Every structure is written in C-alpha cells, then in structure tokens.
Amino acid sequence: MGLVVQKYGGSSVADADGVKRVARRIVETKRAGHDVVVVVSAMGDTTDDLLELAEKVSPMPPARELDMLLTSGERISMALLAMAIANLGHEARSFTGSQAGVITDSAHGRARIIDVTPGRIADAVAAGQIAIVAGFQGVSVETKDITTLGRGGSDTTAVALAAALGAEVCEIYTDVDGVYTADPRIVPTARRLETVTYEEMMELAACGAKVLVLRCVEYGRRSGTPIRVRSSFTSLPGTLVTGSIDDHRTDGEDGTVEHAIISGVAHDRSEAKLTVVGVPDRPGTAAAIFEAVAAAGVNIDMIVQNVSAAATARTDVSFTLPKTDGATAVSAITAVRESVGFDSIVYDDQIGKASLVGAGMRSNPGVSATFFKALADAGVNIEMISTSEIRISVVTSAGDLDTAVRAVHTAFGLDAAPDEVAVVHGGTGR
Ligand code: ADP
Ligand code: ASP
Ligand code: MG
C-alpha cells in the first residue's frame, strides 16, 4: 500500500483529547499498511490568539517576527501529536517546515512555496516512522528566515508534500464531512459533494469557502494530486477533489457526461469596498488610481466604473479589496488625489460577497436569470456584480449576505432533505 499524506486542521487538534483522537486515527492508517506523513495545524484558534497577542505589544509588528511567533503554534501541535503517537507504541518524528524541506520566497505572511525537498521526511518514512510536519511554514531560500504561507496555509503544505513525495492521496481532515454545496454553518441544508473538479473547487476557495485554501487546490491541480476532504470526527468518505471541467468521460449516452450545473455557493466576509468619487472621465485616471493601489501591494478583486453623468464628466470607480488592506489602500489613493483630481473616497467594510459556482453555467443560459431572481425575491440589493466562465458573484450589504446565500442555494435546488442536516463537528468557525 502506498503513501498517504494526512492533514489535520486546528479544529481537529483543539485540545489534548483531540490530539489523542487524531493520533489514534493516524496509527490506524499505519496499521492498515500505509506509510503516513502528517501535516498538522496549530491547536484550535491558537493562530488568532497569537495574532491578538502580537497586536497588544505592537500595532505594526515586524513581518519577520510575526512569522517567528505564528509558526510556534504548529510546533506545539506537531510535538504533542508525535508524543501521543509514541504513547500508542508507534515511532513518530516531528519536523518544522524548514526541516521538512519546504522552501519558500521571502514574502513574510504570504510566502509561496518554490520547492519541496523532503529528504528527511522520506528517510523517516523509509525507517518505518510516522513523520509529523508543522503546516503553514517554510524557510526563505534567500534570507534563510522562517516564513508563513498565509492563513489556512497548512492545506498547501500538505498538498505540496503529497506532490513531492508522490503520495497516492492527500487527505484533509477538518470539522465537517467534506465539501458542501455551501458553508454548513450558514446553510444547514447544504449537501455534501461526492466529487468536485479542481477548477470548481478553486473558484469556491477563491470566493471564501475556507474548507480548502486556494493555493492548495492550485497545487493539487498542477501536480495531479487527488485531495480528499473529510472529517476527523467520523469515518464518512468525504469529498474527492479531482478531474477537470474539460474532462469528457465516455460513459454517457452521447459519449460524454454532463457535469452538475451548479457545484455550490460560497460567501466571503473578508472584503471591503472602496469608492473613489468624482473621478475626471478622461483616459489615464483609472490607471493612475490602480497603479497607486498596486504600488502599495494591495490586491483588488471586483472593479466597477459607472458611466459618467454627461453634465459633470465625472464618474465613480469602486473596487473590493481585503479588509486587512483597507487602511493601506485609502492612504495610497489619498496620496494621488491632487494629481488625479477626484473628489473623495468612501470606504465601506460592511459588505459581503456571495458567489455561485458551477461548470454547467457555460452551457446553461438561464443561470444568471435564476440567480438574480432569487436575490430579488429575497429582497437583497446588489451593489456589484462580476462573473467568470464558471462563476457569478455579487456584493451585498454584510447584513444581507446570509439571506442571499440561502436564497440562491434554494433557488438552484441544492437543499438536502430536512432530515439530512449537515453536521459541524467542532471548531469555532473563526
Ligand atoms: P480547519 O481548522 O480544519 O483548517 P477550517 O475552519 O479552515 O478548518 O475549514 C472548515 C470550515 O470551512 C467548516 O467548518 C465550514 O464552516 C467552512 N466552510 C466554508 N465553506 C464550506 C463548504 N462549501 N463546505 C464545507 N465547509 C465549508
Ligand atoms: N494555523 C494557520 C491558520 O490558522 C494555518 C492553518 O491552520 O492552516 O491559518
Ligand atoms: Mg483551514
């Protein structure tokens, strides 16, 4: 039997009992004959707690030191897990990201993996040991400093290691029974998906479905590593992320198989909306605004520019961005106010984004109509709209977001029967 990489999220190892439960699960896999490499996250809400602690001693902690602090969360859980496994009579060795060969660039807080050289992990496995790797961290190839991969980054560590080790599957253990048609915390009637393609999972993750982080799905797609999302609290099969929306299998009547039209609804509360009011309607102004935002290192998501009122020859430009970048973006744009000649900036962080994702959208023209009708019937006002080939997203007020998600979920017939309510086994949803 081949090598399996298992990743356990913070909610699965929230306390000592959780660590022991996970240790038993790992040992069971080992006893079944597999080689096992484990990636573990910080216990419970440790990372959030550490971030709050840092904020108390400094409003703008140096990025290098913040990474040093945050990586300690995963070191605690990896060592405890190795101890718990040893207590069950199996040999386990814990490794930091750096020891495991996770090589990154030097962008603290959002480092990208550029290489994985898991020699020590392979040696441990060859010696019959269970290797436990601290998730979410690596070492910069340039500075040799410790880096973190961004929130949720243990998922990426796991898939990157699975790819580098040629694992047969990367299992992501969490507090829900798989990938659902919506976040079960908001839509209890959400249905578990048996499988979902990499592309659809990438859209869901990019739109806020934090059950998997976007980069891990990108990594899985590139390396062809199957990812199975399942609960560490049950033995249900979970959801397999695999295949492409362009796969045409030959078992359908006409030689192809139709994908489900819609795979799910995602939501995101992490963004804010910034409106630059009274922008002179002439070539070059949008470029000047977005150059200033880009130079400040802020990534933007949706952009809307209204047609100028003919009389004023001025227009408004709105865009969404991570709330955490709000202050940076406002000061970057304020700095070009004179040269661009706009009137004012309006910053709104009380917004939410709801996104409908499905490969079948490409060939079903009625999808947008159903989507907007559902929002209208629910009395939800739409502030912005954007689309991709397999996604429609809208920005609503923060207060309307849950209503919007549920309305769209129901309108597309995604609700499960009332007796099949999705279970959230743990975690605070933070
Ligand atoms: P972990 O601590 O295991 O990394 P996360 O909190 O990062 O867990 O991710 C699991 C959570 O993702 C679930 O508890 C659920 O609230 C949320 N979630 C959001 N969208 C979905 C979805 N479509 N399917 C399943 N879970 C989702
Ligand atoms: N502990 C990190 C976080 O909370 C990484 C992870 O859990 O994936 O974001
Ligand atoms: Mg996670």
Side-chain angles (χ1 to χ4, degrees), residues 169 179 192-197 226-229 237-242:
V169 65
V179 179
R192 183 177 59 84
L193 300 169
E194 288 285 323
T195 64
V196 60
T197 63
I227 304 173
R228 184 172 288 281
V229 180
T239 300
L240 188 65
V241 186
T242 187

Side-chain angles (χ1 to χ4, degrees), residues 106-196:
S106 45
H108 284 293
R110 54 188 161 86
R112 273 185 180 273
I113 297 178
I114 49 186
D115 197 9
V116 183
T117 51
R120 295 191 65 181
I121 305 303
D123 290 349
V125 169
Q129 297 162 349
I130 296 168
I132 316 284
V133 179
F136 164 68
Q137 54 181 273
V139 60
S140 160
V141 68
E142 297 137 18
T143 62
K144 308 289 181 241
D145 280 328
I146 298 301
T147 53
T148 62
L149 309 179
R151 298 307 305 269
S154 298
D155 295 348
T156 314
T157 306
V159 176
L161 264 177
L165 293 164
E168 60 188 38
V169 65
C170 181
E171 297 182 325
I172 304 281
Y173 285 90
T174 184
D175 57 4
V176 286
D177 288 316
V179 179
Y180 281 75
T181 47
D183 186 342
R185 288 179 203 269
I186 294 195
V187 186
T189 51
R191 268 192 292 122
R192 183 177 59 84
L193 300 169
E194 288 285 323
T195 64
V196 60

Side-chain angles (χ1 to χ4, degrees), residues 7-12 41 44 152 155 172-176 178-185 201 204 208-212 229 265-267 424 426-427 429-430:
K7 177 257 172 178
Y8 291 89
S11 49
S12 296
S41 290
D155 295 348
I172 304 281
Y173 285 90
T174 184
D175 57 4
V176 286
V179 179
Y180 281 75
T181 47
D183 186 342
R185 288 179 203 269
M201 194 61 232
L204 288 168
K210 76 178 181 103
V211 64
L212 284 181
V229 180
V265 188
H267 74 280
V424 179
R430 212 169 146 185

Side-chain angles (χ1 to χ4, degrees), residues 339-363:
S339 54
V340 176
F342 63 85
D343 292 334
S344 60
I345 296 173
V346 178
Y347 180 70
D348 180 2
D349 63 2
Q350 292 304 303
I351 62 155
K353 185 172 81 173
S355 305
L356 181 74
V357 173
M361 257 179 226
R362 298 182 296 178
S363 46

Side-chain angles (χ1 to χ4, degrees), residues 19 77-87 90-94 132:
V19 172
S77 41
M78 74 177 190
L80 289 174
L81 192 52
M83 291 174 200
I85 292 172
N87 189 49
H90 281 260
E91 249 194 294
R93 289 278 181 283
S94 65
I132 316 284

Side-chain angles (χ1 to χ4, degrees), residues 247-258:
D247 284 349
H248 284 280
R249 289 174 297 174
T250 49
D251 41 350
E253 258 177 41
D254 61 351
T256 63
V257 166
E258 279 288 302

